[in-house]
Amino acid sequence: MIELTLSIIKPDGVKKGLSGKIISIFEENGFEIKAIKKLRLTKKEAESFYFIHKERPFFKSLVEFMTEGPVIAMIIAGEDAIQKNRNIMGATNPENAAEGTIRKMFAESIERNIVHGSDSPESAKFEISFFFNFFEII
Ligand code: ADP
Ligand code: MG
C-alpha cells in the first residue's frame, strides 16, 4: 500500500550539510518527495509536535535541540513508507542502529540523531498536517 509519512531533517542534519544526502537516500529507496519546506520551529511548535513526550526527562532538552536551528520537513511517499522510513533511519540511539542506516552513519547521540520519522499511520496523519496543508502536497 502506498503511504505518506513525515520526515524531518533535524537541526544537526541541516547544520552538517546532510540534507542533500538524506534526500538522495530517500529517492534511492524509491520514495517520492511530495512536499518539502525549510523552517525554524518555535519553542511552542516543538513542544506541541513532541507533546507525546512531554513527561519524559529529555523533553526540555529535546525542545531546545529542535529549535536551535532550521529543520527541513518533508512528506515522503511510497510502498509501506512509514515502516520503511523507520528502517532506513535506524534505531533512536545510533549505538543500536543497524549498519547503513541514516542514524548509524551520521548521528552523534540518542538526542542528536539527524532525522525524525512518523512511527504509525496515526502519527503520520497528525505530523503531516502539523507542517503541510492540502494544497502543498503534490
Ligand atoms: P524516534 O525519533 O526514534 O521515534 P522517540 O520518539 O522515542 O524516538 O523520541 C523522540 C526524540 O527524542 C528522539 O529522536 C531523540 O531526538 C530524543 N530522545 C529520545 N530518547 C532520548 C533520550 N533517552 N535522551 C535524549 N533524547 C532522547
Ligand atoms: Mg518517535
Side-chain angles (χ1 to χ4, degrees):
M1 192 180 64
I2 296 290
E3 287 176 337
L4 272 59
T5 189
L6 186 87
S7 170
I8 303 175
I9 304 173
K10 295 182 177 184
D12 56 339
V14 173
K15 205 173 298 169
K16 288 177 170 165
L18 294 170
S19 309
K21 262 190 198 123
I22 291 166
I23 293 167
S24 288
I25 291 169
F26 291 145
E27 291 187 329
E28 283 160 11
N29 279 277
F31 288 125
E32 184 190 342
I33 312 298
K34 301 282 286 178
I36 184 163
K37 63 173 69 159
K38 185 174 188 177
L39 68 143
R40 186 164 180 172
L41 289 166
T42 65
K43 183 166 180 265
K44 258 193 184 153
E45 287 165 346
E47 284 170 350
S48 35
F49 183 77
Y50 278 122
F51 77 96
I52 207 131
H53 296 308
K54 69 175 186 299
E55 304 304 335
R56 296 293 208 53
F58 58 81
F59 183 67
K60 190 168 177 279
S61 172
L62 174 62
V63 168
E64 273 166 25
F65 164 49
M66 289 301 289
T67 56
E68 74 178 32
V71 300
I72 294 177
M74 285 175 275
I75 302 173
I76 58 179
E79 195 66 37
D80 199 18
I82 297 168
Q83 187 54 49
K84 199 171 154 194
N85 179 42
R86 296 288 306 189
N87 298 344
I88 292 167
M89 289 162 59
T92 309
N93 187 343
E95 285 177 19
N96 304 328
E99 284 305 325
T101 60
I102 292 172
R103 284 166 165 174
K104 181 69 175 189
M105 290 190 286
F106 305 124
E108 60 194 61
S109 70
I110 190 169
E111 178 173 86
R112 303 179 70 83
N113 59 6
I114 306 286
V115 279
H116 169 84
S118 309
D119 65 2
S120 66
E122 298 70 38
S123 72
K125 197 170 173 207
F126 164 73
E127 292 176 357
I128 285 170
S129 65
F130 190 94
F131 284 99
F132 297 96
N133 70 51
F134 177 83
F135 302 101
E136 296 172 306
I137 305 172
I138 299 164

